[in-house]
Amino acid sequence: MPEIATIVGARPQFIKCAPVSRKLRKYFNEIIIHTGQHYDKNMSESFFRELSIPEPDYNLGVGSANHGEQTAKMLIAIEKILIDLKPDIVLIYGDTNSTIASALAASKLHIPVAHVEAGLRSFNRKMPEEINRIVSDKLSKYLFVPTQTAVNNLSKEGQTDGVYNVGDVMFDSFLFNLNQIKADEVLKKFQLDSNEFILVTIHRPQNTDNPTILKTLISTLENLNELILLPIHPRTRNLMRKFNIAVNSNNLKLIEPVLYQEMIVLEKHARAIITDSGGVQKEAFFARVPCLVIRGETEWVELVENGWAHLIGNNFELIPKKLRGLRSFDYNQDEVFGDGNASGKIAEILKTDFL
Ligand code: UD1
Ligand code: UDP
């Protein structure tokens, strides 16, 4: 069997690789390399168990650091393993530092790179992810894109070879997992009633790294007259501690990061979602729940163009009014994010070339 090295490191990459790995293993010997970018049990190991992703064959234990140091440590460790393994192909996901380090290491060793979730652009180069996307796409031979917008973005940059619009692997994950868990048990666990709470996630540096901005965001949530559930990302938790930001209101419930299946149930039963996460804003749409995106722009432009999500940047004072105006929406358009079988298509395309 040909050998494929899958390299992941951060929470959304575990969620993305699960359905692809299931399909690929029919045709490929898959080696999983975990960079160790995320390492808390509830940011990493729990997802491997929950989503039945095989144990990583390697864990590089890189951990947290500034961008240069973190990416450099990954590059050094990944290169060593790839020299040893000589896989036929390297498979990477999304736009994190684990993605760019893998693309650099593999392409310099002349190993073809396949990039899942290629072609996305926010056109904001202050986001580290935008740099990671551009470089990783340029170095990839297979560009598995989730949307027509991503095809167009690559085409404008002169990249048309190797581009496959397979749909979004996160949609595969969402559909596969939603029926694997009992919604009423999740709501009971978190003591929630369906449609009676707002789900929030926050982890982008532009919302977390400036104490005034983070403080304003948290106090805006505290002052909303609704129950707010906030599974807190460790970046945000650590910075709240550092900036001495405490929660002083009963309506804002901070909880540890939750499992993926719990998360999608919470999304489905929330009255609305407020997030700066790429994955969560899309899942809000999959769940047909209205969403406020606390960013100035998004790479998932379809969500905004079609009125399914609303960009509010860090104009947090708009949140109460926007929340009052939100309505659930009907959806009867073609499959913007594919048909739920992006993973199967990826496996078939790679199989055709390597078997
Ligand atoms: C990273 C990705 C981002 C992605 C996000 C998903 C980059 C540049 N950023 O951001 O694109 O949306 O993951 O969640 O790759 N920390 C812990 N425990 C952990 C992991 C992180 O405490 O297991 C804390 C550390 O203080 C660390 C901080 O979170 O410094 C940030 O972690 P890092 O992986 O550098 O970036 P994220 O903000 O998680
Ligand atoms: N997620 C989760 N538990 C949580 C918060 C998020 O399982 O407590 C999932 C969420 O459903 C989505 C993914 O993590 O599938 C998004 O990851 P994140 O927001 O960390 O990164 P981004 O998508 O912004 O890169």
Side-chain angles (χ1 to χ4, degrees):
M1 268 186 170
E3 198 150 88
I4 196 155
T6 291
I7 311 184
V8 287
R11 172 169 67 187
Q13 294 171 324
F14 312 137
I15 292 159
K16 288 167 199 175
C17 85
V20 182
S21 175
R22 257 196 312 276
K23 300 282 180 182
L24 277 179
R25 285 182 177 239
K26 285 197 245 165
Y27 312 120
F28 290 88
N29 178 26
E30 187 190 30
I31 310 289
I32 299 186
I33 302 171
H34 185 329
T35 63
Q37 176 168 353
H38 285 174
Y39 44 85
D40 289 352
K41 189 166 181 223
N42 59 18
M43 291 296 286
S44 173
E45 189 191 323
S46 306
F47 294 102
F48 282 80
R49 295 268 156 78
E50 181 197 21
L51 303 176
S52 304
I53 308 166
E55 285 283 302
D57 298 272
Y58 298 86
N59 192 321
L60 311 182
V62 163
S64 309
N66 287 339
H67 287 267
E69 185 180 337
Q70 186 183 54
T71 312
K73 280 185 178 159
M74 288 175 190
L75 185 54
I76 294 168
I78 293 168
E79 182 181 65
K80 282 195 181 119
I81 293 174
L82 294 182
I83 288 173
D84 252 20
L85 277 180
K86 299 188 181 56
D88 296 291
I89 183 159
V90 163
L91 185 61
I92 59 174
Y93 290 87
D95 52 19
T96 72
N97 287 347
S98 299
T99 316
I100 190 175
S102 313
L104 278 168
S107 56
K108 291 213 172 176
L109 294 168
H110 310 158
I111 303 168
V113 177
H115 185 197
V116 177
E117 215 181 68
L120 296 178
R121 297 290 181 269
S122 68
F123 302 101
N124 175 0
R125 288 205 183 188
K126 287 196 175 146
M127 281 183 82
E129 291 81 4
E130 186 75 352
I131 311 288
N132 294 344
R133 290 177 193 126
I134 293 168
V135 175
S136 302
D137 283 346
K138 288 280 174 276
L139 299 178
S140 294
K141 176 165 184 211
Y142 296 88
L143 297 115
F144 294 119
V145 308
T147 57
Q148 184 56 40
T149 307
V151 176
N152 301 345
N153 289 339
L154 289 171
S155 163
K156 281 182 204 146
E157 293 174 15
Q159 215 166 352
T160 49
D161 286 350
V163 176
Y164 302 90
N165 185 356
V166 290
D168 187 358
V169 295
M170 287 192 90
F171 189 34
D172 299 13
S173 256
F174 184 87
L175 295 178
F176 181 84
N177 282 286
L178 199 57
N179 298 324
Q180 312 279 317
I181 185 160
K182 292 200 171 74
D184 50 351
E185 287 176 8
V186 176
L187 294 175
K188 199 167 154 206
K189 174 173 173 185
F190 294 102
Q191 298 175 299
L192 297 164
D193 292 320
S194 183
N195 220 27
E196 301 276 319
F197 66 98
I198 292 174
L199 182 67
V200 180
T201 77
I202 307 165
H203 76 276
R204 293 278 163 215
Q206 63 264 37
N207 287 324
T208 60
D209 288 15
N210 174 314
T212 311
I213 292 179
L214 184 56
K215 209 172 198 147
T216 310
L217 177 52
I218 296 294
S219 74
T220 305
L221 296 174
E222 283 183 312
N223 289 320
L224 292 171
N225 241 345
E226 294 193 63
L227 179 59
I228 313 291
L229 188 72
L230 170 50
I232 191 132
H233 190 287
R235 170 187 207 102
T236 314
R237 178 197 63 207
N238 294 346
L239 287 165
M240 281 179 71
R241 271 190 205 136
K242 182 174 165 195
F243 302 148
N244 284 320
I245 302 175
V247 171
N248 302 306
S249 129
N250 289 333
N251 74 309
L252 174 56
K253 262 173 82 174
L254 260 59
I255 57 170
E256 287 294 309
V258 299
L259 290 168
Y260 173 69
Q261 291 175 355
E262 292 176 338
M263 186 66 183
I264 58 179
V265 167
L266 294 173
E267 288 167 347
K268 187 119 182 101
H269 289 269
R271 177 178 95 71
I273 292 175
I274 304 175
T275 189
D276 55 16
S277 158
V280 175
Q281 59 184 279
K282 242 176 333 149
E283 287 163 355
F285 164 67
F286 301 154
R288 308 290 187 261
V289 170
C291 180
L292 300 184
V293 179
I294 40 179
R295 286 178 46 190
E297 74 292 301
T298 178
E299 52 288 350
W300 301 103
V301 289
E302 301 77 4
L303 300 175
V304 175
E305 283 167 1
N306 291 298
W308 299 319
H310 307 266
L311 288 176
I312 59 167
N314 52 21
N315 302 311
F316 306 134
E317 71 285 357
L318 297 177
I319 291 178
K321 186 165 170 250
K322 285 275 184 190
L323 278 178
R324 279 195 297 275
L326 287 179
R327 299 277 172 270
S328 54
F329 48 85
D330 288 330
Y331 167 71
N332 52 9
Q333 299 197 18
D334 285 343
E335 294 151 337
V336 183
F337 296 98
D339 61 3
N341 185 33
S343 317
K345 290 177 190 159
I346 291 169
E348 289 303 318
I349 292 163
L350 293 177
K351 177 186 117 185
T352 310
D353 276 17
F354 286 88
L355 286 187

